[in-house]
Amino acid sequence: MDLGRDKERKADSGESKMNNSKKQSLFRAVRTVWEMIRPYKKLYFLSSGISVMLVFVTLLQARLTQALIDHISAGKISRFAATVIGFFLIVGVASLLDYFRQVMVSKMAAGAVRDLKCSISEALLRADYAELTKERSGDAMSTVNHDIGIVGNFLKKDMTSLFSQFSMAVGTFIYMLWVKPELALISFIYMPFGVWLLFCANRKIEPFYAAMSDEEGKSLSVVEQVLTQIPVIKSFLMEKRTQEKIYESYRQVCCVQTKAVSWGMLIPFLATAALQIPRITYLGVGGYFVIQGSLSV
């Protein structure tokens, strides 16, 4: 009995340490991202403010679309014409705001990536030579070229879209509550489940990204060694053995990439389900309310 309890305590302790480690990693990641964008915080906050404005503009487009359909259905041509003019003005404002937002985000991401590359280069130059010899040069090349590229894409696309999409979800939910509370609740009821499915799929894929980066670093190191030792390889007639070594390194990369892609294909499928299931529900229930006369087309 005591042995069983000790095992349970150790398991609980291990799980608690793992959770604490994940929280610390998350806090470190958030702090690191903030350190990268802090020199460009004006651009970040301006782009975030424009994202909020775009939420209101987009919801106004939805309201004008509703008015267009209602006016033409009722035969109110003059009101329809005035609404059309307002609709195109709003579309123009939305396009202009989105243009400025993209310019600011691109400048922020480009500056942050440049600073990150410079800091990594400086760290490599200042590092102890004995420590450098322990690391594969391909890993450094992979970090500078591939990993920093991923960070740049995150800053340019994902980080701002996370904020804008969250704002849009909140704004849309409030707007739908105003239009028809029952329809809003029915449309959003699937969202927590869809987000949970995406989160579970992402946790499955996450280890493959680290493995893929490691294998790409190994393959780059192999290629670099071959390029610097071509005279030696030819002198000792080691072309076939070297070729097999290169093929094996790229085979490992391909193997990990295949596994990552296999799991990664779940993400678009689940994302489509998370988008289409509420939409189909919305159209079905909304159509029922229209037939009952409690909601306009």
Side-chain angles (χ1 to χ4, degrees):
M1 291 290 290
D2 292 338
L3 188 60
R5 286 175 183 172
D6 288 340
K7 287 183 178 179
E8 288 180 4
R9 288 197 199 98
K10 288 180 180 178
D12 292 339
S13 176
E15 187 176 349
S16 176
K17 287 180 180 178
M18 189 180 296
N19 291 332
N20 289 333
S21 177
K22 287 181 178 180
K23 288 179 182 178
Q24 290 173 1
S25 297
L26 178 61
F27 289 140
R28 280 199 302 270
V30 172
R31 188 167 60 247
T32 302
V33 170
W34 171 246
E35 289 298 325
M36 283 192 293
I37 67 173
R38 188 166 61 176
Y40 313 96
K41 59 185 178 182
K42 288 183 179 179
L43 290 174
Y44 173 71
F45 287 122
L46 280 171
S47 62
S48 299
I50 291 175
S51 296
V52 175
M53 292 171 64
L54 279 169
V55 170
F56 289 105
V57 171
T58 305
L59 292 174
L60 183 58
Q61 282 182 342
R63 181 67 185 89
L64 289 174
T65 304
Q66 177 187 341
L68 285 172
I69 297 170
D70 289 343
H71 291 333
I72 200 67
S73 299
K76 299 175 181 178
I77 304 302
S78 58
R79 288 189 179 182
F80 175 78
T83 307
V84 167
I85 294 171
F87 182 83
F88 279 110
L89 285 173
I90 289 297
V91 169
V93 170
S95 300
L96 196 62
L97 286 173
D98 190 55
Y99 168 76
F100 284 119
R101 184 178 68 87
Q102 293 291 345
V103 168
M104 291 175 186
V105 170
S106 297
K107 285 183 178 180
M108 180 193 72
V113 167
R114 179 199 60 203
D115 294 345
L116 187 58
K117 286 184 176 181
C118 289
S119 65
I120 289 176
S121 301
E122 186 178 349
L124 289 172
L125 288 171
R126 291 183 177 182
D128 185 72
Y129 181 74
E131 293 297 324
L132 281 176
T133 55
K134 297 177 183 178
E135 300 294 330
R136 293 188 299 263
S137 57
D139 287 339
M141 293 169 63
S142 178
T143 298
V144 173
N145 293 321
H146 181 261
D147 297 344
I148 293 180
I150 293 174
V151 173
N153 286 331
F154 169 74
L155 294 176
K156 189 175 180 180
K157 299 176 181 178
D158 298 329
M159 189 173 73
T160 52
S161 66
L162 281 173
F163 178 77
S164 61
Q165 286 177 13
F166 176 76
S167 303
M168 178 63 72
V170 173
T172 303
F173 184 66
I174 294 171
Y175 175 76
M176 289 180 68
L177 281 174
W178 174 66
V179 173
K180 190 73 174 176
E182 300 93 329
L183 191 58
L185 294 172
I186 291 169
S187 298
F188 276 77
I189 199 168
Y190 176 78
M191 181 179 287
F193 182 66
V195 171
W196 177 76
L197 284 176
L198 286 168
F199 177 75
C200 291
N202 192 60
R203 287 187 66 182
K204 286 284 186 182
I205 300 168
E206 188 177 343
F208 290 114
Y209 288 127
M212 191 161 57
S213 178
D214 186 54
E215 292 299 333
E216 285 176 350
K218 289 178 183 178
S219 64
L220 283 170
S221 295
V222 170
V223 172
E224 186 189 21
Q225 289 172 7
V226 169
L227 290 175
T228 56
Q229 296 175 5
I230 286 178
V232 178
I233 292 169
K234 288 185 174 293
S235 299
F236 289 91
L237 302 176
M238 295 172 60
E239 290 93 337
K240 186 176 180 180
R241 184 178 174 184
T242 304
Q243 190 177 37
E244 289 174 355
K245 188 177 180 182
I246 293 173
Y247 284 179
E248 177 61 22
S249 67
Y250 280 117
R251 191 189 68 79
Q252 293 293 335
V253 173
C254 181
C255 183
V256 176
Q257 285 179 341
T258 302
K259 290 179 181 178
V261 168
S262 299
W263 280 101
M265 290 305 294
L266 281 174
I267 298 292
F269 171 76
L270 293 174
T272 301
L275 177 67
Q276 295 300 331
I277 290 175
R279 182 174 291 176
I280 293 168
T281 306
Y282 166 81
L283 291 173
V285 178
Y288 172 77
F289 286 139
V290 171
I291 293 170
Q292 294 297 314
S294 61
L295 194 68
S296 70
V297 172

